[in-house]
Amino acid sequence: MTARDTVLIALFSALTAALGLLPPIPVPLVPVPVTAQTLGVMLAGCLIGPKRASLAILLLLVLVTIGLPLLSGGRGGLSVFFGPSVGYLIGWTFGAGVIGLIVDRMGSTLLASFVANCVGGIGVVYAFGIPAMATVLDLPLTTAALASAAFLPGDLIKAGVAATVAVAVRRAYPEAGR
Amino acid sequence: MIIGLYVPGESIVHRFSAGPKLIAMFCIGYTMAVVDGPMALATLAMCIAFVFVFIAGLRLQHLWTATRPLVIWIGIIAVAQIGIADAQTAANVILRLLALVWTASIVTYTTRLTDMTAVIARLCEPLRPLGVSPDRVAFLIALTIRLIPAVFDTVRGVREAQRARGLERVYLAGFIPVLTRVLRQSDDLSDALVARGFERWDGS
């Protein structure tokens, strides 16, 4: 791992943590508060490639495990891995990687980035999050899926925002992906 | 700027080393997954709360901090479980969740960040053949902790610059300069690491 890989992994881990410190943004017609944290997951996937992006998110989870309150709402510590959101956190690691893979394959256009964010940042994350929530809360899968649907509008907005930002950042700073 | 969740103290739980504490946590967690019935689980949860407050010497305020993120979930469980199953199942799920989360919180609140980092580094030891160096993992953890306030400062700087130009609430426009700025800073940082021989350090 080069020095640049190391720094980028630490940087996007820190960025995702910093986004979690921002207050949630209320969005009209969306019942749950939209936090900026998953933007970090999507931006990492879009900008620094699959391997570094997954490692950046994994590193964030390690920081949370050792006792830093870096998840949105000031959550942190070992207890989050026993709670109902555990699957979403694990899903972030894989989701960021999938976003990176799709962007690598399809190019870093706005459409490709948006599709990647939807598949990796929503599809993959929910694929881990919903079954885990159903297990922890002892609910049928359909009920857990229904509960997650409340987050879907916010996540779609974030997929669009992250794609737009990523494309603009690549234009301003073409070396980002290297 | 970021403060860990560790609560300083002198209790017997604080003095236990991190490794055995984590093993104990997993054993208790496993027990809770097997135990069933509201009475048994309520007793377990009460025991954990007793350890939390009286043996680990933590405050009720910390117990509330640990419980607060679960409040909304407890509501969801109560509504959904009573709708699908019955009140007994709802009580089982809620009590088990509380007991598990309190157990994990005791470990987090009584273990220093440095001790936890050492455990993580030790857990990475078997991954050495795959190219993972425990010291590099520890370095990454330290670097990230240092970078979080730096990124936050950049966010604040960009926000002030935009406010000075009359932009007040533009979330989207703020992200782009923040990212280009931190990416540029990261180039300087990696140059600094290379200049200090980072790429030739095998991490041992």
Side-chain angles (χ1 to χ4, degrees):
Chain A
M1 204 196 285
T2 65
R4 196 174 148 71
D5 291 337
T6 309
V7 170
L8 282 177
I9 289 167
L11 179 71
F12 275 82
S13 198
L15 182 79
T16 311
L19 288 172
L21 298 175
L22 296 178
I25 307 157
V27 177
L29 300 177
V30 177
V32 287
V34 176
T35 64
Q37 194 144 47
T38 37
L39 269 179
V41 177
M42 294 176 183
L43 285 171
C46 286
L47 287 170
I48 58 170
K51 258 194 205 159
R52 289 182 293 202
S54 313
L55 287 174
I57 304 304
L58 184 64
L59 179 59
L60 176 70
L61 299 187
V62 169
L63 291 174
V64 169
T65 309
I66 64 173
L68 288 170
L70 298 179
L71 298 178
S72 56
R75 289 171 303 136
L78 286 158
S79 62
V80 297
F81 296 98
F82 292 96
S85 336
V86 54
Y88 294 97
L89 302 179
I90 294 164
W92 284 357
T93 311
F94 294 94
V98 170
I99 295 171
L101 283 175
I102 297 176
V103 170
D104 271 4
R105 271 299 142 73
M106 287 175 56
S108 51
T109 59
L110 184 63
L111 180 69
S113 307
F114 180 72
V115 171
N117 286 339
C118 289
V119 175
I122 301 177
V124 173
V125 171
Y126 283 29
F128 282 89
I130 293 170
M133 196 215 280
T135 312
V136 173
L137 302 186
D138 201 11
L139 289 171
L141 267 180
T142 43
T143 317
L146 215 63
S148 311
F151 294 91
L152 195 57
D155 282 344
L156 280 171
I157 295 172
K158 278 184 271 185
V161 169
T164 316
V165 171
V167 169
V169 169
R170 266 179 195 268
R171 205 173 296 145
Y173 192 81
E175 302 95 76
R178 254 174 250 162
Chain B
M1 191 195 80
I2 15 159
I3 301 156
L5 296 164
Y6 173 70
V7 181
E10 292 286 308
S11 79
I12 184 159
V13 189
H14 280 84
R15 277 178 277 144
F16 249 93
S17 55
K21 236 186 296 195
L22 284 164
I23 295 169
M25 180 193 77
F26 283 113
C27 293
I28 297 170
Y30 179 75
T31 316
M32 261 173 265
V34 186
V35 172
D36 211 23
M39 279 316 287
L41 281 166
T43 317
L44 253 172
M46 296 281 273
C47 289
I48 303 292
F50 179 82
V51 172
F52 197 109
V53 179
F54 292 103
I55 296 180
L58 299 162
R59 295 190 185 173
L60 282 174
Q61 170 206 336
H62 301 124
L63 193 64
W64 170 237
T65 312
T67 317
R68 198 180 42 203
L70 295 175
V71 170
I72 184 160
W73 290 108
I74 291 174
I76 293 175
I77 300 167
V79 172
Q81 287 293 1
I82 293 171
I84 299 165
D86 48 50
Q88 192 181 340
T89 319
N92 271 340
V93 176
I94 291 170
L95 289 167
R96 190 176 286 135
L97 188 63
L98 282 175
L100 277 171
V101 164
W102 288 344
T103 310
S105 299
I106 293 174
V107 179
T108 298
Y109 287 147
T110 60
T111 314
R112 277 174 215 279
L113 220 56
T114 43
D115 295 339
M116 284 287 206
T117 311
V119 172
I120 299 280
R122 219 180 306 147
L123 287 175
C124 291
E125 202 66 53
L127 300 176
R128 229 183 240 280
L130 297 172
V132 180
S133 143
D135 293 300
R136 285 217 171 186
V137 173
F139 174 76
L140 261 174
I141 291 174
L143 181 62
T144 312
I145 293 176
R146 175 63 191 87
L147 281 177
I148 295 167
V151 171
F152 214 71
D153 277 350
T154 310
V155 173
R156 202 180 305 143
V158 166
R159 204 176 267 181
E160 274 165 18
Q162 290 184 329
R163 208 166 281 161
R165 290 171 182 77
L167 290 167
E168 276 295 335
R169 292 167 60 88
V170 266
Y171 292 105
L172 195 60
F175 284 122
I176 299 158
V178 166
L179 272 163
T180 44
R181 240 185 244 193
V182 293
L183 280 168
R184 239 166 238 146
Q185 288 162 358
S186 80
D187 282 347
D188 295 341
L189 189 54
S190 39
D191 287 345
L193 284 179
V194 172
R196 283 160 184 78
F198 180 82
E199 292 186 349
R200 285 195 295 169
W201 169 49
D202 61 358
S204 52

